[in-house]
Amino acid sequence: MLYSEKELNKRLKSGCALYCFYASEEALVRSAAGKALAWLSREDPEITVLDGPAPSVEEIVLAAGTISFFGGKRLVSLPLLRAASYSDKDLQELCETLADTENAVFVITCVMEEKFGRLSPGKREHKFIAACEKLGYCVQIQKPGRAELQALAREWAKDCGAEFAPGAESALLDRCGEDQFLLQNEIAKLAALAGYGTITPQMVGQLGTVTLDADTFDMVQLVVAGRIGEAQKRLKTLLELQNDPILITGALIGNYLDMYRVLQGKRSRRSLADVAKDFGYGGKWSYRLGKTEKAAARFRRHQLEQCLSILQKLDLDLKSSKLDADLLMQKALCELALAGRQPC
């Protein structure tokens, strides 16, 4: 079953005894569990928290059996529980305990592995989900798409007392990616910068934290467009911020690999969605590969292979040479620009 806020509200009002939220990212389950706990603790604010990944059955029994000071059912939170961390015997006992306890309400969150953009629970996780579905409200929370994330960003800005100018929330996503914790932190900082007024795209560029992957993505776009001077300035900024040159190089390699995969996919008549599935790009593929496709169109296969060779040599040089890392990387950027301009 998939998460629905309307259904959650219905279950909360009906007196459901168990709520289990599972997803591939902690931010997704934390938000939903927070809403449930806030509603459930209105009359009885006492919450017993048993941190994961695998609290013992004895701990759960003790917490659930304790009489609430306020006379109602005990509210027990099991954040980031991992069913896979239990033995088969202990997991069975856990499921039986959840089913037999009458004096408690459980709120459980689980983060599970994702493969090729889809949640991939293991055998024990499947068993735990099935047990929770019989006992109460147990749902998967899917990653929001880009449009949904932009809507969430506007909500978070409103919560901070600010608002986004047209296009500013999109610019923030472009720079920060889809990490909801990072987005919320950046929005809080941007709201303060805006004096809790309007957040503009210029403010996003001025203050917005950029993930290393996103910054090198922009750097590659500049190199491909022949704007080598701007690319070198971006590199200099990354180095001044104490980013490891080897990690920067690794991120650059990843960006050129993206172009190589897209180019080969196009030659094989594979769609971007197919390429995303083949290489596990997940929910970010639409924006990421869409922009990569435009850059890849400027290359032939042998040019991208030469670019990857340049970056491989840079990686080896950084690990073995005594030359200045800044000098080696600036030289490599010039070589990448030249490789992209060679006759096809």
Side-chain angles (χ1 to χ4, degrees):
M1 182 188 297
L2 296 178
Y3 174 74
S4 160
E5 193 160 325
K6 181 178 179 180
E7 181 63 23
L8 173 61
N9 291 332
K10 179 180 175 182
R11 297 297 185 101
L12 287 167
K13 293 174 183 177
S14 70
C16 180
L18 181 142
Y19 302 84
C20 179
F21 306 99
Y22 60 96
S24 61
E25 294 181 5
E26 182 181 345
L28 297 174
V29 294
R30 179 182 289 186
S31 177
K35 291 176 183 177
L37 288 169
W39 198 95
L40 292 166
S41 62
R42 290 180 309 161
E43 297 180 358
D44 186 347
E46 190 176 3
I47 303 174
T48 300
V49 180
L50 299 178
D51 290 318
S56 69
V57 173
E58 290 76 14
E59 288 179 290
I60 296 171
V61 169
L62 180 61
T66 303
I67 298 174
S68 171
F69 179 78
F70 295 87
K73 288 188 174 183
R74 191 75 175 183
L75 184 52
V76 181
S77 172
L78 302 172
L80 303 182
L81 183 142
R82 291 188 60 191
S85 296
Y86 289 92
S87 67
D88 289 336
K89 179 177 179 293
D90 287 344
L91 181 61
Q92 181 63 36
E93 289 184 5
L94 171 62
C95 294
E96 290 173 357
T97 299
L98 295 175
D100 294 340
T101 303
E102 298 179 355
N103 194 44
V105 176
F106 295 97
V107 178
I108 305 168
T109 60
C110 304
V111 175
M112 300 179 185
E113 185 179 358
E114 185 180 62
K115 291 182 180 178
F116 303 111
R118 299 183 63 181
L119 212 61
S120 181
K123 180 180 177 181
R124 289 173 184 158
E125 290 166 328
H126 270 300
K127 180 178 180 179
F128 182 70
I129 290 169
C132 289
E133 286 176 339
K134 293 178 181 178
L135 299 173
Y137 184 58
C138 179
V139 289
Q140 175 186 347
I141 304 178
Q142 292 183 318
K143 285 184 180 180
R146 187 174 175 84
E148 293 170 300
L149 275 175
Q150 288 181 229
L152 282 172
R154 289 191 290 269
E155 286 183 21
W156 293 330
K158 186 177 179 181
D159 291 341
C160 292
E163 64 178 358
F164 281 104
E169 69 271 36
S170 178
L172 182 62
L173 260 66
D174 291 348
R175 295 179 68 78
C176 289
E178 299 176 356
D179 186 316
Q180 293 187 48
F181 286 144
L182 178 60
L183 285 171
Q184 286 178 291
N185 289 337
E186 289 306 296
I187 289 169
K189 289 192 291 184
L190 288 165
L193 178 66
Y196 302 98
T198 302
I199 300 169
T200 66
Q202 291 74 24
M203 291 176 183
V204 172
Q206 176 185 346
L207 186 65
T209 297
V210 184
T211 64
L212 182 59
D213 186 59
D215 229 348
T216 52
F217 181 81
D218 290 343
M219 195 190 307
V220 169
Q221 300 300 312
L222 291 170
V223 171
V224 171
R227 295 156 62 185
I228 188 65
E230 293 178 56
Q232 289 178 325
K233 286 181 182 178
R234 184 67 61 87
L235 173 61
K236 186 174 180 64
T237 299
L238 280 177
L239 292 171
E240 288 174 348
L241 291 172
Q242 304 299 309
N243 285 286
D244 188 328
I246 294 174
L247 293 181
I248 296 174
T249 302
L252 285 170
I253 291 172
N255 280 280
Y256 274 90
L257 276 174
D258 287 343
M259 286 193 283
Y260 189 82
R261 289 164 176 168
V262 167
L263 185 66
Q264 289 298 95
K266 189 174 182 180
R267 292 180 62 180
S268 304
R269 300 183 183 276
R270 302 279 287 171
S271 68
L272 289 184
D274 291 331
V275 173
K277 183 178 180 181
D278 290 343
F279 294 98
Y281 283 90
K284 68 182 180 179
W285 75 266
S286 181
Y287 168 76
R288 174 70 176 257
L289 294 189
K291 206 165 182 181
T292 297
E293 184 179 37
K294 295 178 182 178
R298 297 171 177 254
F299 290 88
R300 294 291 183 268
R301 176 177 170 176
H302 75 275
Q303 291 175 296
L304 285 176
E305 288 175 345
Q306 184 177 352
C307 289
L308 287 168
S309 294
I310 291 168
L311 290 170
Q312 183 181 32
K313 182 178 184 300
L314 172 62
D315 182 65
L316 292 172
D317 288 343
L318 288 171
K319 293 173 180 176
S320 60
S321 176
K322 294 183 180 180
L323 292 176
D324 182 68
D326 188 359
L327 179 63
L328 288 170
M329 298 188 78
Q330 297 287 1
K331 177 175 175 289
L333 286 184
C334 292
E335 291 174 348
L336 290 171
L338 288 172
R341 293 177 188 172
Q342 288 181 356
C344 300

